[in-house]
Amino acid sequence: MKRAWERNAVLATVMIGIMAVPGWAASPKMKMTTDIPPGIAIPESVETRLGELKFFDGFPDKPTVEKIYNNLDFQRAVQAYLLALAPVNMTGLREGLLKVGPANVTIPTFEDNMNARSIFLTANATTPYTWVWINLHDGPLVAEVPPMTLGMIDDFWFRYVTDIGIVGPDKGKGGKYLLLPPGYKGEVPEGYLVVRVPTFESILVWRNMPVKGDIKPAIENLKKFTRIYPLSQAANPPANVFVNVSNRDFSTVAAADYKFWELLNYVVQNEPVESLDPVTLGFFASIGIEKGKPFAPDARMKKILTEAAAVGDATARTITYQSRIPAAFYYPNSTWRQWLGGYRFQSQPGVSYLDAAAFFYFYATGVTPAMEEKMVGKGSQYAAGIVDSQGAPLNGGNTYRLHVLPNAPAKDFWSAIVYDNQTRSMLQTDQDYPQVSSLDKGLVVNADGSVDVYFGPNAPDGKENNWIQTVPGKGWNMLFRLYGPLEPWFDKTWKLSEIELIQ
């Protein structure tokens, strides 16, 4: 059966054949004829990137209709891909964590620092994480968190919901959070830090902060104070399962191929329409992903979606690795990238910063003001090193140096961690931890207090403790992190040197 637009195009072709006679070549001067201003009428033939488009007096012929709709579906699919990076990023976390154990019950924790074996988007190797997948489909949930954490809750669209821990409502003392599902109208008991989560599924994640470099007290507190259970069972909470996922070979990075659309469809089907804006949901619906309806693209649409996923992934990589936005760079004439648009990814209040969101959701995990806003002595700040001082891609076969000037503005510590350009996860080499940190024992500090960090396939003599291994034939990038950033970072009186090629 022909689609409506195909039937109309056939009819249009017939009509053109009937009417395309010399008498119809130009409109006659009629009683009510006036001059049509330029730019309103379309020519009979228009050359575009789609090829030649043909019209009879403004009406498209059949080949034009086919080209236009194929292009429209492709355009919307690419934009839908970029808009969906956030929820699909979350589905990657969901798939990986649920392989460890069921939602709500299981508390996966890196009891040692995460190493390169686990595939997580730009995770750190300095403060061990706890990741909990939350599911509120069965009603409110209580999350008791331990003291001295730094974390957040993000919803299934990967939007910030609340901080927990040091910069959250519990102020680092720990506490009982009551997570309420969308549309909850039941009784809200007293004695809880109440959080209304816009989606049924979400991520609860925090860093367990070491005590004078020792993680053991934090892990002991974690197991002593952490409990997650339904509010309905608050009088007799069921036991949780603590799983040590250190050195675990598993992935929480989502697929970027056709499976991307299937992952997006899961989120759309399982979350309230009210939890996302109509325009974004409209993009998803325009390509066949709409709540309450089966996602069943025909062969034409599946081909378009497959290509759109490839172009979407290529677009996200280009926005991330070759930004064209001057404000994306932390200093003038520098290569260091920074987050843009705040934790809401807006160029100004009420205006989405599309490229900023695409960069972040392709590259990173965890949305919170504590990773972006100015909080002197609290939270963290980031600078992304994507290229060397000359703007060239970082090549694993070369040797580079980062000169960290004295008095790095970090109350707690700084770290430099290397990531794989493909997975955006820690670069997998012979080193467990592809990082150098100011906390490292044996770190070589120069006489003036500065530190040189080296990147390359082989360590420079005597600099083994200051060296991060790279792999010939592979590209890489890095994040420089400041924990407890101080004023000189924000006012830029202290500057991060460029990554210099030395061999």
Side-chain angles (χ1 to χ4, degrees):
M1 181 178 292
K2 289 183 178 294
R3 289 164 288 195
W5 63 265
E6 288 180 317
R7 293 196 300 273
N8 291 339
V10 170
L11 178 60
T13 302
V14 173
M15 293 298 294
I16 289 171
I18 293 172
M19 296 186 294
V21 294
W24 287 82
S27 298
K29 191 79 170 177
M30 309 296 285
K31 177 182 176 182
M32 300 301 294
T33 298
T34 61
D35 293 334
I36 299 175
I40 294 176
I42 193 169
E44 291 183 357
S45 176
V46 181
E47 289 295 334
T48 72
R49 65 174 59 195
L50 307 181
E52 185 182 22
L53 306 179
K54 293 184 177 180
F55 302 84
F56 169 72
D57 199 28
F59 198 107
D61 68 5
K62 182 178 179 180
T64 295
V65 171
E66 185 172 350
K67 290 175 185 176
I68 290 296
Y69 276 122
N70 284 340
N71 179 64
L72 181 61
D73 289 341
F74 179 73
Q75 284 187 358
R76 285 179 171 165
V78 172
Q79 294 307 315
Y81 187 100
L82 296 175
L83 291 169
L85 283 168
V88 174
N89 182 327
M90 282 288 277
T91 65
L93 280 167
R94 180 183 183 275
E95 285 193 333
L97 294 175
L98 294 188
K99 288 178 181 177
V100 178
N104 304 339
V105 176
T106 313
I107 303 178
T109 297
F110 290 86
E111 295 187 16
D112 296 310
N113 290 336
M114 187 190 299
N115 64 26
R117 190 178 298 277
S118 301
I119 300 176
F120 277 68
L121 290 178
T122 53
N124 82 71
T126 321
T127 54
Y129 293 101
T130 293
W131 301 82
V132 183
W133 190 256
I134 298 296
N135 189 330
L136 300 176
H137 276 102
D138 293 331
L141 205 66
V142 177
E144 298 185 18
V145 302
M148 293 308 295
T149 65
L150 181 64
M152 78 289 290
I153 296 174
D154 290 337
D155 73 10
F156 212 167
W157 301 114
F158 227 140
R159 297 171 306 194
Y160 168 76
V161 177
T162 187
D163 286 306
I164 64 166
I166 296 168
V167 297
D170 66 276
K171 305 299 182 185
K173 297 177 182 179
K176 294 182 179 182
Y177 287 79
L178 177 58
L179 311 183
L180 302 179
Y184 181 75
K185 293 181 171 44
E187 181 182 354
V188 180
E190 296 182 353
Y192 295 96
L193 299 167
V194 178
V195 179
R196 293 187 177 271
V197 186
T199 57
F200 288 105
E201 296 187 57
S202 59
I203 188 71
L204 168 61
V205 56
W206 66 76
R207 301 183 185 102
N208 298 289
M209 304 303 288
V211 178
K212 297 181 179 180
D214 185 4
I215 192 58
K216 290 181 180 179
I219 300 302
E220 289 172 359
N221 279 339
L222 168 83
K223 294 180 178 180
K224 181 178 179 181
F225 294 109
T226 305
R227 294 290 181 271
I228 298 175
Y229 49 87
L231 176 63
S232 61
Q233 300 180 45
N236 187 24
N240 290 116
V241 178
F242 292 84
V243 180
N244 182 4
V245 291
S246 296
N247 199 38
R248 191 183 184 103
D249 180 1
F250 73 123
S251 173
T252 62
V253 178
D257 56 13
Y258 182 81
K259 185 183 177 184
F260 182 98
W261 305 115
E262 296 170 342
L263 296 174
L264 172 61
N265 185 58
Y266 176 86
V267 186
V268 170
Q269 298 304 330
N270 283 277
E271 296 300 345
V273 169
E274 298 78 15
S275 67
L276 195 61
D277 68 277
V279 173
T280 301
L281 286 174
F283 269 101
F284 300 160
S286 74
I287 59 171
I289 298 176
E290 188 170 3
K291 188 174 179 66
K293 297 182 180 180
F295 175 50
D298 59 18
R300 180 192 77 91
M301 196 63 192
K302 190 167 185 177
K303 180 180 178 182
I304 287 173
L305 290 173
T306 300
E307 183 182 3
V311 173
D313 182 50
T315 303
R317 290 176 182 276
T318 300
I319 289 170
T320 299
Y321 297 140
Q322 288 287 278
S323 177
R324 62 182 180 179
I325 304 171
F329 300 94
Y330 203 80
Y331 310 105
N333 303 314
S334 173
T335 65
W336 289 101
R337 292 283 306 275
Q338 62 176 331
W339 308 143
L340 282 177
Y343 66 96
R344 299 187 188 280
F345 305 105
Q346 296 180 339
S347 58
Q348 57 180 286
V351 180
S352 296
Y353 207 148
L354 298 177
D355 282 5
F359 164 42
F360 185 90
Y361 288 120
F362 174 77
Y363 187 68
T365 300
V367 179
T368 167
M371 291 170 55
E372 184 275 331
E373 288 189 345
K374 181 178 179 179
M375 296 183 181
V376 177
K378 298 180 180 180
S380 53
Q381 286 285 305
Y382 299 74
I386 307 291
V387 295
D388 70 14
S389 61
Q390 301 304 308
L394 298 167
N395 186 330
N398 296 334
T399 299
Y400 302 85
R401 179 179 57 220
L402 169 63
H403 184 65
V404 182
L405 293 171
N407 303 313
K411 179 176 70 69
D412 300 319
F413 62 92
W414 60 260
S415 71
I417 304 179
V418 167
Y419 300 99
D420 186 323
N421 283 347
Q422 292 283 20
T423 65
R424 293 89 70 202
S425 302
M426 285 188 238
L427 187 67
Q428 295 180 330
T429 66
D430 292 330
Q431 293 179 321
D432 288 346
Y433 307 103
Q435 76 158 358
V436 168
S437 162
S438 60
L439 296 177
D440 292 347
K441 296 178 181 179
L443 184 70
V444 177
V445 179
N446 300 323
D448 64 354
S450 65
V451 174
D452 291 311
V453 180
Y454 295 88
F455 313 86
N458 300 297
D461 290 341
K463 305 293 185 181
E464 290 80 5
N465 291 332
N466 293 42
W467 166 68
I468 302 174
Q469 186 178 17
T470 59
V471 182
K474 279 196 68 64
W476 58 275
N477 64 83
M478 66 156 293
L479 280 174
F480 187 86
R481 288 174 167 90
L482 294 161
Y483 288 90
L486 301 175
E487 185 62 39
W489 174 257
F490 296 105
D491 66 19
K492 301 180 184 178
T493 55
W494 185 93
K495 291 188 177 182
L496 192 56
S497 302
E498 300 297 305
I499 301 171
E500 298 284 352
L501 174 66
I502 61 174
Q503 181 179 320

